[in-house]
Amino acid sequence: MKAAIIGGTGYSALELIRLINKHPHLELGPIVSSSNAGTVFSEVFPHAAGTIDNRMASFDAEKISKEAEIVFLAVPSGISKTLVPDLTAYGVRCIDLSGDLRLTSPDAYEKWYGHTPAGEEIIGQAVYGLSEIYSDYIKNSRIIANPGCYPTASLLGLLPIIKSGLADLQSIIIDAKSGVSGAGRGVSLGTHFSEVNENIKAYKLGSHQHIPEIEQILSKEAGKPVLVTFTAHLVPMTRGILATLYVNLTESILLEEVRNLYREYYSSHPFVRVRPEGNVPATKEVAGSNFCDIGLYLDERTNRLTIVSAIDNLMKGAAGQAIQNANLMNGWDVRAGLEDISFYP
Amino acid sequence: MKAAIIGGTGYSALELIRLINKHPHLELGPIVSSSNAGTVFSEVFPHAAGTIDNRMASFDAEKISKEAEIVFLAVPSGISKTLVPDLTAYGVRCIDLSGDLRLTSPDAYEKWYGHTPAGEEIIGQAVYGLSEIYSDYIKNSRIIANPGCYPTASLLGLLPIIKSGLADLQSIIIDAKSGVSGAGRGVSLGTHFSEVNENIKAYKLGSHQHIPEIEQILSKEAGKPVLVTFTAHLVPMTRGILATLYVNLTESILLEEVRNLYREYYSSHPFVRVRPEGNVPATKEVAGSNFCDIGLYLDERTNRLTIVSAIDNLMKGAAGQAIQNANLMNGWDVRAGLEDISFYP
Amino acid sequence: MKAAIIGGTGYSALELIRLINKHPHLELGPIVSSSNAGTVFSEVFPHAAGTIDNRMASFDAEKISKEAEIVFLAVPSGISKTLVPDLTAYGVRCIDLSGDLRLTSPDAYEKWYGHTPAGEEIIGQAVYGLSEIYSDYIKNSRIIANPGCYPTASLLGLLPIIKSGLADLQSIIIDAKSGVSGAGRGVSLGTHFSEVNENIKAYKLGSHQHIPEIEQILSKEAGKPVLVTFTAHLVPMTRGILATLYVNLTESILLEEVRNLYREYYSSHPFVRVRPEGNVPATKEVAGSNFCDIGLYLDERTNRLTIVSAIDNLMKGAAGQAIQNANLMNGWDVRAGLEDISFYP
Amino acid sequence: MKAAIIGGTGYSALELIRLINKHPHLELGPIVSSSNAGTVFSEVFPHAAGTIDNRMASFDAEKISKEAEIVFLAVPSGISKTLVPDLTAYGVRCIDLSGDLRLTSPDAYEKWYGHTPAGEEIIGQAVYGLSEIYSDYIKNSRIIANPGCYPTASLLGLLPIIKSGLADLQSIIIDAKSGVSGAGRGVSLGTHFSEVNENIKAYKLGSHQHIPEIEQILSKEAGKPVLVTFTAHLVPMTRGILATLYVNLTESILLEEVRNLYREYYSSHPFVRVRPEGNVPATKEVAGSNFCDIGLYLDERTNRLTIVSAIDNLMKGAAGQAIQNANLMNGWDVRAGLEDISFYP
């Protein structure tokens, strides 16, 4: 099956291309890049020379529909919402890695993203692609709103305890740390090497656009409004997200019971691995893979649960989960093309 | 005034030597290193060649007392407790950078450090050297228990809101991130470059020896027992601690009021800088300096305060604060030898 | 075909296991680790949990010969020389990633490695596994001496110009820069994070054990003794080798002619890519792949050629080339299991 | 003495401000920044809050001349050449950290920098500020062309052997590695964190503007034209330059004799330190200091000398040497304000 990539020179697109190149059922079709249309991909990215020598094109929905059955949109926010309707009109299935189709509330989108929202019809058709949680919907969808990197790490870590009914829903704190590739390939002082190296900083306190996405899903799954405190941090590394999650429990419970609850919740999901006692994940242990690793600690003195969730932000946090969703949509083995373990070290 | 260093080849000792070398009132006396006694310092550390060419010695309390009036102990835990009594018997003042004399409860020390505790008399004489908070006691002390790096960043960030009475004392969460120099110069797989680089991990959940130190001071200042949830993280950088602190407030209050409260609390303390609105500190902005920078954010929806506190773990978190305490003990300007701004970038 | 790994907890072994896990014709057999025998692999390396849950074993040549047809030895120098004879006695084919079987001169081995050399019979049977150059010999061999990381990058960059007869053989300088994983997983002060980070250093000037290996092959291919100046540098990154190579030319020639000469030399070898004009490789562009990328610059004023050669030290410089050699030995497509492009960024 | 800074928000300017802040004889006067005129310095750079709260100004030569006796120009190339004449017309002494006044040949400047050159009169007055070599001229100058970072490391490493007459002048190769701060604070894809981290690359082969600067001084000191091969590399670290220098010797000589020759050459220069046998410098060992450390290795087989020269590119390679030159111009101790040893680790 041929797959097209829109937004061909960003990091998520690079990762999608890397993955499609070794996928057993997908083949790379058109690469669309408005800024590099007409250029050979491997001239811009010599790491792909001899393998991805396709010439990049500008966007043309009709042409794409003839050359691909599925499209991955790896563009900045504010763009997918105009492209997806065109593409679906031609019968192409879309997996959108941007934030355009994730929020069901147009007002929330406008407030947090600062763009006019996508049309309600498109939003209504889009399925939130958190693969483990919404696989049944994903299988039957034609438009996927692929989750953000922070929401993926946070939600996979939080949902088992939320669903268990044991969580104090007013106590949730997400302290998340990300590698710099999450900020994309666009240059800025905030991602300038000499400013980021040997440095850790918090950013966008209270204003990160992933906050409403996390709250929307938690509220939906909890069945009542949930607000979280979320802090994003920039860490001097390229890949990886570590989310340290804090939740007060409403009942006394043993850590091993919590662990069993997590293991059961993910028992049929090979990409979520719950660590044994005394073992919490590090981002390097999932780098380059589609795994989300989860570690648990319970402070019995305060009955507060600490959950450590680790993903590769470009894999399970973006391109890997997008491929996982493509696998689900096509009825393939969910692991197809995603069998790699981490490129540790 | 001559100063001796015990534990001459660890990172805190290196930093002390760097600072004493440019201190207007201190002069470097004996450098004691059990593993390198007899060796010239700059043969082990060529960065100091031509400046610190002293020959290192083995420990001899009497000899040290003749060559130095003040001693900085930068040794692993479990050692100072035996050296400090010898040194004070000879009338030398001691600033201990290890954890040996910080905990007032011998049981707590034994539980968290796994060594037999120091004698009660020594612990009774030791003043906890969190300079801004205990300056009056430090001025009149002969033994200083210099605070740990995580406690310094955490306590300076938490104490203003704790003392204000506005904090829900059961809600305190400390999510702390440290550079690798905090783990010292001893080699281990956990500090091996290829394991740490491009990686962030949480460690010692619920078992970090700085937990009782933080709780001891918070409880003392709050006037009632305080328990915290504390998570330490290792970040791929050499220097710096960023502590992201979460506290629920018990009353409605404006962020600007909280900021004013912090500014007032530290109004006579030049090393603590409270950031203006919309501005939280990054570790690089304090690297190489003795500053602790504090940023504030209040989520009005949940009435939860997020405090971001940044220090250089080897400076304000170890050697810098030790020098600051020496300044206090001697009645010198608290900034003497500590005027440097960060070596940014 | 089942493959065994000896030395299962070093970085080359990890990389071999990662590659065998996705190889179309190889299957992971016994993992031998003297220090971890009896332990489940994924308990030591949680990144492989759920995928590589094999229990590690101690060395037993007979047992290995029953469970594997090919053995990869990823052990420190001084060990393979005793294991390979045992294994070959049982008819198993061996690919040795250590330096034990590379030097044809026992005296040279003893001088540069400080161990007693392997038996002459074994050395006589071992084929130097620089895949592109010695593929004909590799195909028919039962013992491969897999090249060192620095020699691979250096030789692939130098051989085309050496073989052309245009090189002044007395002028060769190799200035090589390596990531830290090349130093292995054993801890030491020289690979301690806080010592390596924000630091570049030269090491082992004139005494690096890869010098005789490079000179042996260059001399063999030039048909006369060749001595080189080689400087190894440690760079604060985990993976990658960049070798900057300097050669005076004996005749006037255009850069494009040199480039054509290189392209022709490697025309049937997919893993060596010669860059177009104005383009020299960076290590990130080959990280995680088996490529060796080569860039060329000619200073017409001095008629000195600068060659920049980039590899991933754990891939083309170790495990990747070992798999490539296994492919050659078995008559498989040389790219089998090595199709990945770089995990850029 | 009051000092002005032109170009107040680049890294060299930051470093100058850090150094002037602790200089015993210099006081910070106007900070000129065209892009930030009117803004308080510490609002842009919170690391300096409470210390450098000066309001930045736009360029006004007359005003500067009333508020400062000496001016440091830390601006991109192409700007100083127009500002220096204005400033000197008002009697202010200028230390120019850009490349505008370094090349004595206007044609060379135009070729390598791509700007029209400075007026010949200004170039004629400018003294090349390689402090150790031209101290006598610096003392009596009113305009200093402060050397480039690569030339400083390269020339200090090469000049002793060049002046000895033992060097084959046609054999000189400079393989230089720099931290990213050398590329300045302006953002670009080449200095974007995710592109630089875990990466080493060569750049500007044969076209780096420091080549003519190095050749000009080597030719002048050798008394005949000298051409070099120079390769610049970008290393994933913020500060530091390591130059590995290769020179064929024309006579047989012992390494210890070469070392003595170097030590004698620099015997009255405290900032150049020649390492003992078996010891070559790493950049971390000079980071934050004004030292240039030099290590030596002689391959007796080829009679080729390898010289390793390490500096902090922002210190001895820019701001530190500028302060050193100010010290010389004013007859102060050359170490004034530059006594710091490296902030190791």
Side-chain angles (χ1 to χ4, degrees):
Chain A
M1 180 180 295
K2 283 239 177 180
I5 309 283
I6 319 281
T9 57
Y11 290 140
S12 293
L14 292 185
E15 196 73 345
L16 283 163
I17 289 166
R18 181 173 82 87
L19 294 174
I20 291 170
N21 179 51
K22 58 178 168 180
H23 196 284
H25 310 305
L26 286 173
E27 189 186 343
L28 188 61
I31 305 175
V32 171
S33 166
S34 53
S35 56
N36 285 277
T39 311
V40 170
F41 182 81
S42 58
E43 283 174 11
V44 184
F45 295 107
H47 74 277
T51 306
I52 316 289
D53 298 322
N54 314 28
R55 196 169 292 277
M56 292 182 272
S58 50
F59 183 79
D60 178 336
E62 186 179 359
K63 198 154 175 295
I64 290 168
S65 73
K66 291 179 179 155
E67 297 175 11
E69 288 178 65
I70 192 162
V71 175
F72 295 90
L73 295 101
V75 289
S77 64
I79 296 176
S80 296
K81 60 177 181 162
T82 67
L83 306 184
V84 168
D86 286 0
L87 290 162
T88 52
Y90 284 101
V92 183
R93 286 176 297 166
C94 291
I95 298 180
D96 177 25
L97 284 79
S98 86
D100 275 16
L101 308 178
R102 294 179 198 151
L103 300 185
T104 51
S105 154
D107 287 353
Y109 179 81
E110 198 154 358
K111 175 185 167 192
W112 292 88
Y113 283 88
H115 305 296
T116 55
E120 293 198 22
E121 197 189 7
I122 287 293
I123 291 181
Q125 288 177 49
V127 168
Y128 188 71
L130 191 60
S131 315
E132 281 72 15
I133 311 304
Y134 300 116
S135 53
D136 289 344
Y137 301 91
I138 294 164
K139 282 171 188 167
N140 301 303
S141 72
R142 300 194 62 77
I143 305 176
I144 297 288
N146 211 59
C149 49
Y150 285 125
T152 297
S154 303
L155 293 169
L156 291 177
L158 288 169
L159 284 171
I161 198 69
I162 299 292
K163 297 298 282 186
S164 76
L166 291 165
D168 172 355
L169 297 176
Q170 303 195 343
S171 72
I172 302 171
I173 292 175
I174 300 170
D175 191 283
K177 300 92 178 167
S178 176
V180 185
S181 63
R185 199 159 172 261
V187 302
S188 71
L189 195 56
T191 54
H192 191 55
F193 183 87
S194 302
E195 302 282 322
V196 172
N197 186 42
E198 272 289 292
N199 199 7
I200 178 167
K201 65 174 172 190
Y203 66 100
K204 282 196 184 179
L205 275 78
S207 65
H208 199 290
Q209 70 277 11
H210 286 169
I211 295 173
E213 183 179 339
I214 293 167
E215 291 179 346
Q216 170 180 297
I217 301 300
L218 289 182
S219 300
K220 181 181 171 185
E221 296 299 322
K224 61 185 83 162
V226 176
L227 298 177
V228 301
T229 290
F230 171 85
T231 314
H233 298 80
L234 197 67
V235 177
M237 60 185 196
T238 303
R239 283 170 183 254
I241 283 182
L242 194 80
T244 312
L245 312 162
Y246 301 95
V247 183
N248 293 344
L249 301 187
T250 53
E251 289 175 32
S252 193
I253 183 171
L254 292 176
L255 176 55
E256 275 317 293
E257 295 177 275
V258 178
R259 194 181 316 281
N260 289 338
L261 184 157
Y262 270 73
R263 289 200 161 138
E264 201 166 323
Y265 191 86
Y266 290 119
S267 58
S268 63
H269 298 287
F271 290 123
V272 182
R273 302 185 295 194
V274 180
R275 292 291 177 91
E277 196 186 341
N279 194 319
V280 293
T283 57
K284 189 186 274 284
E285 291 162 350
V286 295
S289 84
N290 199 47
F291 290 112
C292 173
D293 279 14
I294 294 174
L296 299 165
Y297 168 72
L298 179 63
D299 185 348
E300 292 169 6
R301 310 176 310 168
T302 57
N303 211 29
R304 185 178 287 133
L305 182 67
T306 302
I307 308 148
V308 179
S309 171
I311 62 169
D312 181 327
N313 59 306
L314 295 178
M315 287 292 297
K316 184 64 181 169
Q321 187 156 248
I323 297 291
Q324 186 179 356
N325 286 331
N327 290 343
L328 287 169
M329 291 165 86
N330 289 293
W332 300 327
D333 183 337
V334 75
R335 285 166 299 195
L338 298 170
E339 284 102 345
D340 279 5
I341 56 172
S342 167
F343 45 69
Y344 188 96
Chain B
M1 181 180 295
K2 284 239 176 179
I5 309 283
I6 319 282
T9 59
Y11 290 141
S12 293
L14 291 185
E15 197 73 345
L16 283 164
I17 289 166
R18 181 174 81 88
L19 294 175
I20 291 171
N21 179 51
K22 57 179 168 179
H23 196 284
H25 309 306
L26 286 173
E27 190 186 344
L28 189 61
I31 304 176
V32 170
S33 166
S34 53
S35 56
N36 285 278
T39 313
V40 170
F41 182 81
S42 57
E43 283 175 9
V44 184
F45 296 107
H47 73 277
T51 306
I52 315 289
D53 299 322
N54 315 28
R55 196 169 293 277
M56 291 183 274
S58 49
F59 183 79
D60 179 335
E62 185 179 359
K63 199 155 175 295
I64 290 168
S65 73
K66 289 178 179 155
E67 296 175 12
E69 288 178 63
I70 192 163
V71 175
F72 296 90
L73 295 102
V75 289
S77 64
I79 296 177
S80 294
K81 61 178 181 163
T82 67
L83 306 185
V84 168
D86 285 0
L87 290 162
T88 50
Y90 284 102
V92 183
R93 287 178 294 167
C94 291
I95 298 180
D96 176 26
L97 283 79
S98 86
D100 275 15
L101 309 179
R102 295 178 197 152
L103 300 186
T104 51
S105 153
D107 287 353
Y109 179 83
E110 197 153 359
K111 175 185 169 195
W112 292 88
Y113 284 87
H115 304 295
T116 55
E120 294 199 20
E121 195 188 9
I122 287 293
I123 291 181
Q125 289 178 48
V127 168
Y128 188 70
L130 190 59
S131 314
E132 281 72 15
I133 311 305
Y134 300 116
S135 52
D136 289 344
Y137 301 92
I138 294 165
K139 281 172 190 169
N140 300 304
S141 72
R142 300 196 61 79
I143 306 177
I144 296 287
N146 212 58
C149 49
Y150 285 125
T152 296
S154 304
L155 293 169
L156 291 177
L158 288 169
L159 284 172
I161 198 70
I162 300 293
K163 297 299 282 187
S164 76
L166 293 164
D168 172 354
L169 296 177
Q170 304 196 343
S171 73
I172 302 170
I173 292 176
I174 300 169
D175 192 283
K177 300 92 177 167
S178 176
V180 186
S181 63
R185 199 158 172 262
V187 302
S188 72
L189 196 56
T191 54
H192 192 55
F193 183 86
S194 302
E195 303 282 322
V196 172
N197 186 42
E198 271 290 292
N199 199 5
I200 177 167
K201 66 174 172 188
Y203 66 100
K204 282 195 184 178
L205 275 78
S207 66
H208 199 290
Q209 70 279 10
H210 287 169
I211 295 173
E213 183 179 338
I214 293 167
E215 291 180 345
Q216 171 180 299
I217 301 298
L218 289 182
S219 300
K220 181 180 171 187
E221 295 299 322
K224 62 185 82 162
V226 176
L227 298 177
V228 301
T229 289
F230 171 87
T231 313
H233 298 80
L234 198 65
V235 177
M237 61 185 195
T238 304
R239 283 171 183 251
I241 283 181
L242 194 80
T244 312
L245 312 163
Y246 302 96
V247 182
N248 292 345
L249 301 188
T250 53
E251 290 176 32
S252 193
I253 183 172
L254 293 175
L255 177 54
E256 276 316 293
E257 296 177 275
V258 178
R259 194 181 316 282
N260 289 337
L261 185 156
Y262 269 74
R263 289 198 161 142
E264 201 166 324
Y265 191 85
Y266 289 119
S267 58
S268 62
H269 297 288
F271 290 123
V272 182
R273 300 184 297 192
V274 180
R275 291 291 177 92
E277 197 185 341
N279 195 317
V280 293
T283 56
K284 191 187 271 286
E285 291 163 349
V286 296
S289 83
N290 198 47
F291 290 111
C292 173
D293 278 15
I294 293 174
L296 299 165
Y297 169 72
L298 179 62
D299 185 347
E300 292 171 5
R301 309 175 313 166
T302 56
N303 211 29
R304 186 177 287 131
L305 182 68
T306 303
I307 308 149
V308 179
S309 169
I311 62 169
D312 181 327
N313 59 305
L314 295 179
M315 288 290 298
K316 184 64 181 170
Q321 186 156 249
I323 297 290
Q324 186 179 356
N325 286 331
N327 290 344
L328 288 169
M329 291 165 87
N330 288 294
W332 301 325
D333 183 338
V334 76
R335 286 167 299 196
L338 298 170
E339 284 102 345
D340 279 6
I341 57 173
S342 167
F343 46 69
Y344 189 96
Chain C
M1 181 179 295
K2 283 241 177 178
I5 309 283
I6 320 281
T9 58
Y11 290 140
S12 293
L14 291 186
E15 196 74 345
L16 283 164
I17 289 167
R18 180 173 81 88
L19 294 173
I20 291 170
N21 179 52
K22 57 178 168 180
H23 196 284
H25 309 306
L26 286 173
E27 190 187 343
L28 188 61
I31 305 175
V32 171
S33 166
S34 54
S35 56
N36 284 279
T39 312
V40 169
F41 182 80
S42 58
E43 283 174 10
V44 184
F45 295 107
H47 74 277
T51 307
I52 315 289
D53 298 321
N54 314 29
R55 196 169 292 277
M56 292 183 273
S58 49
F59 183 78
D60 177 335
E62 186 178 1
K63 198 154 176 293
I64 290 168
S65 73
K66 290 179 179 154
E67 297 175 10
E69 288 178 64
I70 192 162
V71 175
F72 295 91
L73 294 102
V75 288
S77 64
I79 295 176
S80 295
K81 58 175 183 165
T82 66
L83 306 185
V84 169
D86 285 0
L87 290 162
T88 52
Y90 283 101
V92 183
R93 287 176 297 167
C94 291
I95 298 181
D96 176 25
L97 283 79
S98 87
D100 274 16
L101 308 178
R102 296 178 197 152
L103 300 185
T104 53
S105 154
D107 288 353
Y109 179 82
E110 197 154 359
K111 176 185 167 194
W112 292 88
Y113 284 87
H115 305 294
T116 56
E120 294 199 21
E121 197 188 6
I122 288 293
I123 291 180
Q125 288 178 49
V127 168
Y128 188 71
L130 191 60
S131 315
E132 281 72 15
I133 311 305
Y134 300 116
S135 52
D136 289 345
Y137 301 91
I138 294 164
K139 283 171 187 166
N140 301 304
S141 71
R142 301 194 60 78
I143 305 177
I144 296 288
N146 212 59
C149 49
Y150 286 125
T152 296
S154 303
L155 292 169
L156 290 177
L158 287 168
L159 283 172
I161 198 70
I162 299 292
K163 296 299 283 187
S164 76
L166 291 164
D168 172 355
L169 297 176
Q170 303 194 343
S171 73
I172 302 170
I173 292 175
I174 299 169
D175 191 283
K177 300 92 177 166
S178 177
V180 186
S181 63
R185 198 158 173 264
V187 302
S188 71
L189 196 56
T191 53
H192 191 56
F193 183 87
S194 302
E195 303 282 322
V196 172
N197 185 42
E198 271 290 293
N199 199 6
I200 178 168
K201 67 174 173 189
Y203 66 99
K204 281 196 185 180
L205 276 78
S207 66
H208 199 289
Q209 70 277 11
H210 286 168
I211 295 173
E213 182 178 339
I214 293 168
E215 291 180 345
Q216 171 180 299
I217 301 299
L218 289 182
S219 299
K220 180 180 172 187
E221 295 300 321
K224 63 185 81 160
V226 176
L227 298 177
V228 301
T229 290
F230 171 86
T231 313
H233 298 80
L234 197 66
V235 177
M237 61 186 194
T238 303
R239 283 170 182 253
I241 282 182
L242 194 81
T244 312
L245 311 163
Y246 301 96
V247 182
N248 293 344
L249 301 187
T250 53
E251 289 175 31
S252 193
I253 183 171
L254 292 175
L255 176 55
E256 274 317 293
E257 297 177 274
V258 178
R259 195 182 314 281
N260 289 337
L261 185 156
Y262 270 72
R263 289 199 161 139
E264 201 166 323
Y265 191 85
Y266 289 118
S267 58
S268 61
H269 297 289
F271 290 123
V272 182
R273 301 185 295 194
V274 180
R275 292 291 177 92
E277 197 186 340
N279 195 318
V280 294
T283 56
K284 191 187 272 286
E285 292 162 350
V286 295
S289 83
N290 198 47
F291 290 112
C292 174
D293 278 15
I294 293 174
L296 299 165
Y297 168 74
L298 180 62
D299 185 348
E300 292 170 5
R301 310 175 312 166
T302 57
N303 212 29
R304 185 177 289 133
L305 183 67
T306 303
I307 307 148
V308 179
S309 171
I311 62 169
D312 181 327
N313 59 306
L314 294 178
M315 288 290 299
K316 183 65 180 169
Q321 186 156 248
I323 296 291
Q324 186 179 358
N325 286 331
N327 289 344
L328 288 169
M329 290 165 87
N330 288 294
W332 301 325
D333 182 338
V334 75
R335 285 167 298 196
L338 298 169
E339 285 102 344
D340 278 5
I341 56 172
S342 166
F343 47 69
Y344 187 96
Chain D
M1 182 181 295
K2 283 239 177 180
I5 310 282
I6 319 282
T9 59
Y11 290 142
S12 293
L14 291 186
E15 196 73 346
L16 283 163
I17 289 167
R18 181 174 80 89
L19 294 175
I20 291 170
N21 179 52
K22 58 179 168 178
H23 196 285
H25 309 306
L26 286 172
E27 189 186 344
L28 188 63
I31 305 175
V32 171
S33 165
S34 53
S35 56
N36 285 278
T39 313
V40 170
F41 183 80
S42 57
E43 283 174 10
V44 184
F45 295 108
H47 74 276
T51 306
I52 316 290
D53 298 322
N54 315 28
R55 196 169 292 277
M56 292 184 274
S58 50
F59 183 78
D60 179 336
E62 186 179 359
K63 198 154 176 296
I64 290 168
S65 74
K66 288 179 180 155
E67 297 175 11
E69 288 177 63
I70 192 162
V71 175
F72 296 90
L73 294 101
V75 289
S77 64
I79 296 177
S80 295
K81 59 177 182 161
T82 67
L83 305 185
V84 168
D86 285 0
L87 290 162
T88 51
Y90 284 102
V92 183
R93 287 177 295 167
C94 291
I95 298 180
D96 177 25
L97 283 78
S98 87
D100 275 16
L101 308 179
R102 294 178 198 153
L103 300 185
T104 52
S105 153
D107 288 354
Y109 178 82
E110 198 154 359
K111 176 184 167 196
W112 292 87
Y113 283 86
H115 304 295
T116 55
E120 294 199 23
E121 197 189 6
I122 287 293
I123 291 180
Q125 288 177 48
V127 168
Y128 188 71
L130 191 59
S131 314
E132 281 72 16
I133 311 305
Y134 299 116
S135 52
D136 289 345
Y137 301 91
I138 294 164
K139 283 172 188 168
N140 301 303
S141 71
R142 302 195 60 78
I143 306 178
I144 297 289
N146 211 58
C149 49
Y150 285 125
T152 296
S154 303
L155 293 168
L156 291 178
L158 287 168
L159 284 171
I161 198 70
I162 300 293
K163 297 299 282 187
S164 76
L166 291 165
D168 172 354
L169 297 177
Q170 304 195 341
S171 71
I172 301 170
I173 292 176
I174 300 169
D175 192 283
K177 300 93 178 165
S178 177
V180 185
S181 63
R185 199 158 173 264
V187 302
S188 71
L189 196 56
T191 53
H192 191 55
F193 183 87
S194 301
E195 303 282 323
V196 172
N197 186 42
E198 270 291 294
N199 199 6
I200 177 167
K201 66 175 173 188
Y203 66 100
K204 283 196 183 178
L205 275 78
S207 66
H208 199 289
Q209 69 278 9
H210 286 169
I211 295 174
E213 182 179 338
I214 293 168
E215 291 181 345
Q216 171 180 297
I217 301 298
L218 289 182
S219 299
K220 180 180 172 188
E221 295 300 321
K224 62 184 80 161
V226 176
L227 298 176
V228 301
T229 290
F230 171 86
T231 314
H233 298 80
L234 198 65
V235 177
M237 61 185 194
T238 304
R239 284 171 182 251
I241 283 182
L242 195 80
T244 312
L245 312 162
Y246 301 96
V247 183
N248 292 344
L249 301 188
T250 53
E251 289 175 32
S252 192
I253 183 172
L254 293 176
L255 176 54
E256 275 317 292
E257 297 177 275
V258 177
R259 194 182 315 282
N260 289 337
L261 184 156
Y262 269 73
R263 289 199 160 141
E264 202 166 323
Y265 191 85
Y266 289 119
S267 58
S268 62
H269 298 288
F271 290 123
V272 182
R273 300 185 295 192
V274 180
R275 292 290 178 93
E277 198 185 342
N279 194 319
V280 294
T283 56
K284 191 187 273 284
E285 292 163 350
V286 296
S289 83
N290 198 47
F291 290 112
C292 174
D293 279 15
I294 293 174
L296 299 164
Y297 168 73
L298 180 62
D299 184 348
E300 290 170 7
R301 310 174 313 166
T302 58
N303 212 28
R304 185 177 289 132
L305 182 68
T306 302
I307 307 148
V308 179
S309 170
I311 61 169
D312 180 326
N313 59 306
L314 295 179
M315 287 290 299
K316 184 64 181 170
Q321 187 156 247
I323 297 290
Q324 186 179 357
N325 286 330
N327 290 344
L328 286 169
M329 290 165 88
N330 288 294
W332 301 325
D333 183 337
V334 76
R335 285 167 299 196
L338 298 169
E339 284 102 344
D340 277 6
I341 56 172
S342 166
F343 46 69
Y344 189 95

